[in-house]
């Protein structure tokens, strides 16, 4: 051997090392399998869905061409740009859209595994939790196959939840390194995690408008894990400030990066359209105008009709500005009444889910040609002020709703919400999100999809409409297995979470906090969808349910682990 060369023998693969790596090898295989299976599901093209799929594709095309969201019109700022940005990125990279979405979901599932492993050190449980998320059969259905933000949004939601857990999870005991060095490393790791979490949080905030619904579960996870971190003995885990510093630094990094991401979107919208907001649907004067109209009191609210013709008539009489859209709203946009009639059997007025679009159409038609969002904002703000000025003089007004587009409290019937929540639970255990027939639209509509979305054929005739038979069989089998496990284990898992929170070890309590937070996610969204369906439009057993399946699976896996640990402890 020549002088000066040192040979280092490779570390042998011991049985212990192989045992430690085996779970992660299985996880990688499952994540890969999930991507391969979902890649076999063809894109479901709804090329005539002007306010949904087509809008996402049109906006993505403008982003790809360097035109930000495109030429201003009434739809440009109706929805956040998060999903169109993703679609444009996939187009630019030449990656099939559904493969990209499958990879995003697999990454989210991997983050779930890391979070569970970090909390519990139970590698196989972590793999089961991540595998359950990755193989979620709802992601093989029609709603997830659309060029629609809900499937992508579901992946963002569970990824954000897992990252938050990783950012705030309790630190380990003091090691052999010098205390200052160990603390610095921990802070650096949490800041790095915070940067990633902030980017995902920004994506969450700019993708859909119902941003606060994930707040309760995130708050429970953050507060619960921080309290557990503080409750550990100082002699082993260091002073309180040293335990708090890494997660707090991670949370600050999360907030800073998210603020930068959202700020970039709002700044671009201000430069292009004259308003500093994510969307004009929920962030600007449109929501205020909707609330002002809903507050006009003409008697008991009517089921499924958020703003009745009687309320609109009083508003026309009070507001000269709003009166300008009377013909447009009562005549030109009446086709939305026909949609309401077909969907929810409300045939003489606008039902909830369709009135906002009728109102938008009437306003922007009145202002045409509208060259900037600032013009529409000024018009709606003026109409809002005039309508509110009539309260207690021209008519009585109800208290404002607790949130934009939220129904009046007196319109909510507890029994109906309870019944619909139970319907949502049934849809959850059956992994039902509805089905959609392909709608190719016009030749120009289809051409736009084929141009932007990798995975859409040049013509409707060349586009595959169904996945292979083995994929349908796989979905049927996994739906049955997962559905049975959810139905059988949900109640025992809930018991395991409760017992572990009250009597478990610190590790079990930390896992129970995460499992309970995931369960709160399910409860909040199911209740929200039940409220929407009882007062506005069908929302249960649709694509709106997609963000629920992953946290439900995680909660049941963790709760079952907690129960098994408690039973083993009692037997032992």
């Amino acid at each position: 051997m020549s002088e000066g060369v040192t040979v280092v023998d490779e570390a042998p693969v011991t049985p212990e090392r192989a045992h430690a790596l085996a779970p992660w090898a299985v996880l990688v295989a499952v994540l890969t399998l999930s991507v391969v299976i979902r890649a076999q599901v063809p894109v479901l093209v709804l090329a005539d869905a002007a306010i949904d799929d087509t809008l996402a594709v049109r906006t993505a095309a403008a982003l790809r061409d360097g035109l930000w969201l495109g030429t201003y019109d009434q739809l440009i700022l109706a929805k956040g740009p998060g999903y169109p940005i993703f679609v444009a990125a996939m187009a630019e990279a030449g990656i099939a859209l559904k493969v990209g979405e499958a990879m995003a979901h697999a990454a989210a599932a991997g983050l779930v595994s890391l979070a569970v492993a970090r909390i519990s050190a139970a590698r196989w449980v972590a793999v089961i939790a991540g595998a359950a998320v990755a193989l979620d059969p709802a992601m093989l259905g029609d709603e997830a196959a659309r060029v629609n933000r809900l499937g992508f949004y579901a992946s963002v939601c569970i990824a954000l939840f897992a990252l938050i857990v990783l950012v705030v999870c309790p630190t380990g005991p003091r090691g052999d390194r010098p205390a200052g060095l160990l603390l610095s490393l921990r802070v650096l790791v949490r800041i790095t995690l915070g940067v990633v979490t902030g980017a995902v949080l920004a994506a969450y905030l700019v993708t859909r408008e119902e941003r606060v619904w994930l707040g309760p579960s995130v708050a429970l996870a953050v507060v619960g894990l921080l309290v557990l971190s503080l409750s550990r003995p100082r002699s082993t885990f260091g002073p309180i400030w040293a335990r708090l510093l890494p997660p707090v630094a991670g949370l600050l990094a999360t907030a800073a990066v998210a603020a930068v991401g959202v700020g970039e979107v709002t700044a671009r919208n201000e430069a292009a359209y004259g308003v500093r907001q994510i969307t004009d649907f929920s962030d600007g004067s449109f929501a205020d105008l909707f609330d002002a109209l809903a507050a006009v009191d003409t008697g008991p609210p009517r089921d499924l009709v958020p703003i009745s013709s009687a309320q609109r008539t009083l508003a026309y009489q009070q507001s000269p500005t709003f009166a300008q859209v009377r013909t447009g709203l009562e005549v030109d946009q009446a086709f939305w009444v026909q949609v309401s009639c077909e969907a929810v059997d409300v045939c003489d007025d606008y039902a909830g889910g369709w009135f906002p679009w009728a109102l938008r159409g009437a306003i922007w038609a009145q202002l045409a040609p509208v060259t900037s969002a600032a013009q529409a904002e000024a018009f709606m703000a003026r109409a809002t002020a005039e309508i509110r000025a009539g309260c207690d003089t021209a008519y009585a007004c109800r208290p404002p709703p607790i949130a934009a587009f939220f129904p009046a409290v007196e319109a909510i019937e507890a029994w109906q919400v309870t019944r619909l929540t139970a319907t949502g639970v049934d849809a959850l255990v059956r992994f039902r999100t509805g089905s959609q027939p392909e709608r190719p639209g016009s030749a120009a509509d289809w051409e736009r999809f084929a141009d932007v979305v990798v995975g859409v054929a040049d013509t409707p005739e060349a586009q595959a409409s169904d996945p292979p038979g083995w994929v349908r069989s796989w979905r049927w089998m996994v739906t049955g297995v997962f559905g049975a496990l959810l139905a059988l284990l949900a109640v025992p898992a809930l018991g395991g979470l409760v017992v572990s929170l009250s009597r478990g070890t610190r590790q079990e309590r930390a896992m129970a906090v995460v499992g309970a937070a995931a369960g709160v996610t399910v409860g909040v969204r199911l209740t929200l969808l039940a409220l929407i369906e009882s007062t506005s439009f069908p929302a249960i057993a649709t694509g709106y349910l997609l963000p629920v399946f992953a946290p439900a699976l995680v909660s049941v896996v963790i709760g079952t682990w907690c129960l098994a640990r408690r039973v083993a402890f009692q037997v032992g």
Side-chain angles (χ1 to χ4, degrees), residues 481-508:
V481 172
F482 279 21
L485 290 176
L486 281 180
L488 293 173
L489 296 178
V491 173
L494 177 61
L497 295 176
V498 172
V499 172
S500 292
L501 282 171
S502 60
R503 300 172 58 185
T505 65
R506 284 192 179 87
Q507 184 188 69
E508 291 168 1

Side-chain angles (χ1 to χ4, degrees), residues 292-293 295-298 310-319 383-398:
L293 291 168
V296 176
D297 192 350
T298 58
Q311 290 171 296
R312 300 195 300 272
T313 297
L314 290 179
Y316 296 138
Q317 295 170 358
Q318 171 64 26
S319 169
T384 299
E386 292 168 358
I387 293 169
R388 286 177 174 167
C391 290
D392 301 325
T393 56
Y395 38 72
C397 284
R398 303 187 183 103

Side-chain angles (χ1 to χ4, degrees), residues 85-409:
I85 290 172
F86 180 80
V87 175
M90 293 300 99
E92 190 67 21
I95 298 174
L97 178 61
K98 292 306 165 181
V99 172
E101 290 185 24
M103 292 168 64
H105 193 72
L111 289 170
V112 168
S113 286
L114 290 177
V116 173
R118 181 69 182 82
I119 293 290
S120 69
R123 290 186 291 267
W124 282 109
V125 175
V127 168
I128 292 171
V133 172
L135 299 177
D136 175 1
M139 287 296 182
L140 301 177
D142 282 1
E143 286 291 342
R146 292 175 58 182
V147 186
N148 186 294
R149 55 187 177 166
L150 280 163
F152 172 73
Y153 180 71
S155 301
V156 170
C157 289
I158 193 63
L160 177 60
F161 179 81
L163 283 164
I164 289 289
V165 170
L166 286 168
V167 167
V168 299
C169 65
T171 57
R174 290 182 290 192
D176 297 332
R177 296 187 183 90
L181 176 60
L182 181 61
L183 181 59
S184 298
L185 289 174
R186 285 175 173 170
V187 170
L188 181 61
V189 169
R190 297 302 174 95
I191 289 176
T192 303
L193 280 171
V195 170
V196 177
T197 307
V200 175
L201 176 57
Y204 170 82
L205 294 173
V206 303
T207 297
R208 282 194 61 83
E209 292 71 52
E210 70 274 21
R211 302 167 191 129
V212 299
W213 78 275
L214 206 55
S217 59
V218 168
L220 175 59
V222 170
V223 173
L225 292 176
L226 288 180
V227 168
L228 285 172
S229 182
L230 295 178
S231 68
R232 299 192 295 178
R234 174 175 178 172
S235 58
T236 304
F237 295 94
I240 288 176
W241 68 267
R243 282 175 268 170
L244 279 179
L245 184 57
V248 169
L251 289 174
L252 290 175
T254 296
V257 173
V260 170
V262 172
E264 177 66 16
V265 169
T266 57
R268 285 178 177 265
N269 283 343
E270 183 178 33
Y273 312 119
V275 290
R276 193 174 183 87
Q277 55 193 212
I278 300 172
T279 74
D280 61 14
F281 201 97
S282 60
D283 301 333
S285 297
F286 182 76
D288 293 337
L289 175 58
F290 188 97
D291 289 348
L293 291 168
V296 176
D297 192 350
T298 58
R302 179 182 172 186
D303 288 347
L304 300 175
V305 179
I307 299 172
S308 67
S309 60
Q311 290 171 296
R312 300 195 300 272
T313 297
L314 290 179
Y316 296 138
Q317 295 170 358
Q318 171 64 26
S319 169
T321 302
F322 188 62
Q324 295 178 46
V325 304
R326 184 169 194 159
T327 300
L329 187 55
E330 304 303 331
V331 178
D332 298 340
Q333 298 293 319
F335 62 88
W336 289 110
V337 176
Q338 180 61 32
V339 177
S340 303
C341 186
E342 295 172 356
V344 294
D345 201 29
V346 173
C347 302
D348 60 343
D349 209 336
Y350 295 104
W354 298 276
F355 176 75
W357 296 106
L359 179 59
R360 289 180 68 90
I363 291 171
W364 267 260
Q366 174 64 31
L367 296 176
V370 188
T371 58
S372 75
Q375 293 174 259
E377 287 289 309
F379 180 90
M380 292 184 289
R382 188 165 61 251
T384 299
E386 292 168 358
I387 293 169
R388 286 177 174 167
C391 290
D392 301 325
T393 56
Y395 38 72
C397 284
R398 303 187 183 103
I402 60 175
F405 304 108
F406 202 81
V409 174

